[in-house]
Amino acid sequence: MVLIAIDLPQPILSDVESQVDAQAHALERVDIVRESVSKSITVQVADIDAALEFSNDYAPEHLILHVKHAADALAHVQNAGSVFVGPFSPER
């Protein structure tokens, strides 16, 4: 898992990491999730252009565009297996 954080302050990033850890421990397959989370990284960038550039270079299998104007950002995605547009799209 890779989180590309656009201009987020450190306290918010820490909260995100704490929530990922807490939710991972709540799952039945905690051992599998723990291994996956241990290999995760956070990449901080200044703006959406830098985020999309990194994502296109990384070419994720699953990309979640959880940003303002996500539909507009979609036009700039060049390399991703599947793209989920908006904050709740991967939920259901």
Side-chain angles (χ1 to χ4, degrees):
M1 175 175 65
V2 176
L3 168 64
I4 305 172
I6 302 170
D7 195 30
L8 289 180
Q10 189 56 49
I12 292 176
L13 288 174
S14 295
D15 288 346
V16 168
E17 290 172 355
S18 293
Q19 278 299 312
V20 168
D21 184 62
Q23 291 180 33
H25 281 86
L27 297 172
E28 280 183 26
R29 304 169 87 192
V30 67
D31 293 336
I32 295 169
V33 175
R34 187 178 294 138
E35 185 173 334
S36 175
V37 169
S38 73
K39 297 175 183 174
S40 298
I41 63 166
T42 299
V43 177
Q44 292 194 60
V45 296
D47 56 35
I48 187 70
D49 293 331
L52 289 166
E53 181 179 348
F54 178 89
S55 179
N56 284 325
D57 287 344
Y58 184 75
E61 182 176 353
H62 305 287
L63 172 65
I64 302 169
L65 292 174
H66 187 140
V67 295
K68 290 180 184 176
H69 312 293
D72 295 337
L74 180 61
H76 302 283
V77 173
Q78 297 171 353
N79 298 310
S82 59
V83 182
F84 299 88
V85 181
F88 300 108
S89 59
E91 290 286 320
R92 300 182 196 257

